[in-house]
Every structure is written in C-alpha cells, then in structure tokens.
C-alpha cells in the first residue's frame, strides 16, 4: 500500500495513471477514490481536478453499463476529502457523510427507482417465509406499513453502502497521507474520533423518530447509523490502544462484524452514543494517570 501511495504522489502523470486504471478495473473503484482523496488532502482541489477529471471517463462508462458505484463513490470521497482538508475534523466529515448519503438516496431513487421497487416487491413476497408466525400475526395495516417501508429502507441501505464506501476510501487516503508524511498520525487521529453528545442524539433521532413522521424518511435510518458505527469502531480502537491490549481484540471485532453484522453493528451504534455522553477514553486516561503509580509517579 505504501508503494502505491508513493507512486501516486510521485507526480501528476503517475497519479492520473493510478486513478484512471483503478477506476477502470472491476471492483477497484475504491482504490481510485482513495488515491484521488490523497491528492486532494495533500495538494488541494486545484491540483486534483486535472487528475480526477480523467477518472470520470471510466466511471461514466461504468454508469452507462448500469454500475453507478464508481462515479458516486469517487465524487463522494472527494467531497469528504475537501471537508476534512478544510476542517481537519472527522466529526464534520461524518456529518457531511449523512448529507452525502441523502444525495445518494435521491440519485438512486431518481435513476434506479423502478429497480428498487421491483426488489422491494420481491422481498415483500418472501416476508411470510422470513418472519414466519410473526408476520402472520400482523394486522392488515401493519403488513401494509411494512410493504410501504421496504422501498425507502432499501434505498437507504443502498445509499448507506455508498456512504460507507466513501468514508472507507477517505480513510485509506488519509492513512496513505500519514504513512508518507506523518507516520503514526493517522492512528492517533482515528482513535480520538468521538461525536459530541448533541450530534449523537440528533443522529439517534434520525434513526428512530424521523421515520415515524413519514414513510420516505425511513431512508434516514441506515444513513444516520453510519457515523455512529464509525465512531463506535474508533472508540474500540482507542480503548485497545490505551489499555495496551493485543491486536487480537481488533481482529475479533472485525471478524465478529463480518459474521454477526446484525448483532455487532447495532452494538457499535449504542457504544458510540454512550461514549458521546460519558467519554470512556477520557475517563480511562484520567484513571490511568492517577491510579497505577500509587502516588510514586
């Protein structure tokens, strides 16, 4: 990875080559977005525009063949990189990612709305098998509400996936930047990510309360959960580093996230909200500073 980052930063020609080739190759569009974000973070938008403009050619071609992710993730990652470069604040980046997710949702609904509706209809037919007796015990109104919620929720899930890919691409670009110019800086920066309590509460409202105000607002549930889950992962990284625990714990986290997504993901969201209120890392640092020396420090 360091070799690729070094190649990208060697010059405009090398950066353009890396961004365009990665965008053209199947399933490597996130590398192109990360490389573009690295250029934005290090050199600014003016230098990055001439490089990223060439990447539009393969991403637009992918869009023509029905694959919107390369173009959307490239655009989203660059927007988030600009926010990070201007603010040096992951909190603002995470908030901007929610707005970006809403934009993704609007684009998905406008361009691929009919496909999403067909998928929702197919999923609705499978509901009796998936939910079993619980679905049979629902009233007609409840079943109708579930059917109405499927389309915006599916749209929100697709948008949240693009939102997450944009954040991860930016994360990789920031990691490359630190690797080249500030070794160790990325780890410290990521471990310190913590959402202020008012922001965490607003995101929680977006997850649970806003969908009750309108069916279309159900799209916000997955979008608002992404920043909280991101902050939850940062919290665990920070605690592992503070307590000097082995990497085994982080490996276990990501394996559990892959295998038990439905259980671990909500837990990360809850941890992030509680941490925004009680600041676990700050408390651990204060306890560590006063406790272990027994007054002999």
């Amino acid at each position: 990875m360091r070799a690729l980052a070094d190649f990208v930063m060697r010059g405009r020609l090398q950066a353009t080559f890396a961004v365009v080739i990665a965008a053209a190759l199947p399933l490597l569009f996130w590398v192109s977005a990360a490389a573009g974000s690295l250029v934005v973070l290090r050199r600014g938008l003016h230098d990055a525009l001439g490089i990223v403009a060439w990447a539009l050619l393969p991403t637009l071609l992918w869009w023509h063949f029905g694959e919107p992710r390369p173009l959307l993730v490239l655009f989203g990652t660059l927007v988030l990189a600009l926010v990070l470069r201007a603010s040096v604040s992951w909190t603002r980046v995470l908030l901007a990612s929610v707005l970006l997710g809403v934009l993704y949702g609007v684009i998905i609904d406008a361009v691929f709305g009919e496909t999403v509706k067909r998928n929702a209809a197919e999923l609705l037919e499978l509901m009796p098998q998936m939910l079993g007796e619980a679905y049979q015990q629902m009233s007609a109104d409840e079943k109708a509400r579930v059917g109405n919620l499927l389309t915006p929720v599916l749209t929100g899930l697709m948008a949240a996936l693009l939102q997450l890919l944009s954040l991860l691409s930016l994360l990789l670009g920031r990691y490359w930047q630190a690797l080249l110019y500030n070794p160790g800086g990325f780890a410290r920066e990521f471990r310190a990510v913590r959402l202020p309590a008012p922001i965490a509460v607003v995101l929680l409202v977006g997850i649970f309360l806003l969908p009750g105000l309108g069916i279309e607002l159900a799209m916000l549930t997955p979008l608002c959960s992404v920043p909280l889950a991101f902050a939850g992962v940062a919290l665990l990284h920070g605690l592992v580093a503070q307590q000097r625990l082995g990497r085994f714990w982080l490996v276990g986290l990501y394996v559990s996230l892959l295998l038990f997504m439905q259980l671990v993901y909500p837990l990360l969201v809850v941890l992030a909200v509680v941490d925004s209120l009680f600041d676990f890392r700050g408390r651990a640092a204060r306890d560590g500073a006063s406790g272990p020396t027994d007054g002999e420090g």
Side-chain angles (χ1 to χ4, degrees):
M1 281 295 185
R2 181 189 175 91
L4 178 57
D6 186 61
F7 178 79
V8 170
M9 297 308 297
R10 199 171 296 169
R12 180 179 294 271
L13 180 62
Q14 291 87 339
T16 303
F17 179 81
V19 169
V20 172
I21 294 300
L25 294 175
L27 301 181
L28 284 182
F29 58 87
W30 53 275
V31 177
S32 175
S37 71
L38 172 60
V39 177
V40 170
L41 289 170
R42 183 63 183 174
R43 297 179 180 171
L45 180 62
H46 179 73
D47 284 353
L49 277 178
I51 295 170
V52 174
W54 287 100
L56 293 178
L57 298 177
T59 56
L60 288 172
L61 189 62
W62 279 117
W63 185 294
H64 176 73
F65 288 109
E67 175 56 275
R69 290 178 299 174
L71 179 59
L72 294 178
V73 171
L74 177 65
F75 168 78
T77 304
L78 296 179
V79 169
L80 296 180
L82 288 172
V83 174
L84 183 58
R85 177 180 169 86
S87 66
V88 198
S89 168
W90 279 100
T91 296
R92 294 188 180 182
V93 169
L94 293 175
L95 287 177
S97 78
V98 177
L99 299 178
L100 184 66
V102 172
L103 177 60
Y104 285 153
V106 171
I107 293 173
I108 290 171
D109 183 58
V111 181
F112 304 99
E114 293 303 319
T115 302
V116 175
K117 289 178 181 178
R118 285 197 300 269
N119 292 337
E122 293 173 1
L123 185 59
L124 184 61
E125 294 178 359
L126 297 175
M127 279 292 176
Q129 302 175 23
M130 295 170 59
L131 300 181
E133 292 185 5
Y135 186 79
Q136 300 300 331
Q137 293 174 359
M138 290 182 181
S139 66
D141 290 341
E142 290 173 334
K143 291 180 180 178
R145 179 170 176 78
V146 169
N148 292 332
L149 283 172
L150 282 178
T151 298
V153 168
L154 282 178
T155 302
L157 287 172
M158 294 171 65
L161 178 59
L162 294 172
Q163 175 190 5
L164 182 59
L165 285 172
S166 299
L167 281 170
L168 292 177
S169 297
L170 175 62
L171 207 66
L172 179 58
R174 188 66 160 179
Y175 168 72
W176 282 342
Q177 183 188 24
L179 199 63
L180 294 176
Y181 307 107
N182 183 25
F186 172 79
R188 292 190 297 270
E189 185 176 274
F190 180 67
R191 292 167 187 161
V193 173
R194 174 176 171 266
L195 294 173
I199 293 177
V201 171
V202 168
L203 292 173
L204 208 58
V205 168
I207 293 174
F208 292 107
L209 297 184
L210 287 182
L213 301 178
I215 295 295
E216 295 302 322
L217 293 179
M219 183 181 72
L220 293 175
T221 295
L223 299 179
C224 291
S225 72
V226 171
L228 290 170
F230 187 97
V233 172
L235 166 64
L236 295 179
H237 272 263
L239 291 176
V240 167
Q242 275 188 343
Q243 302 301 320
R244 294 181 174 84
L245 302 177
R247 292 188 177 181
F248 164 81
W249 294 97
L250 296 178
V251 173
L253 166 65
Y254 290 110
V255 171
S256 300
L257 191 58
L258 288 174
L259 297 179
F260 309 105
M261 172 75 75
Q262 293 179 337
L263 176 64
V264 177
Y265 188 88
L267 181 60
L268 290 173
V269 170
V270 172
L271 283 174
V273 173
V274 176
D275 178 57
S276 70
L277 298 173
F278 297 103
D279 190 11
F280 294 134
R281 283 159 291 189
R283 289 173 179 265
R286 289 191 294 271
D287 292 343
S290 60
T293 60
D294 290 329
E296 297 180 10

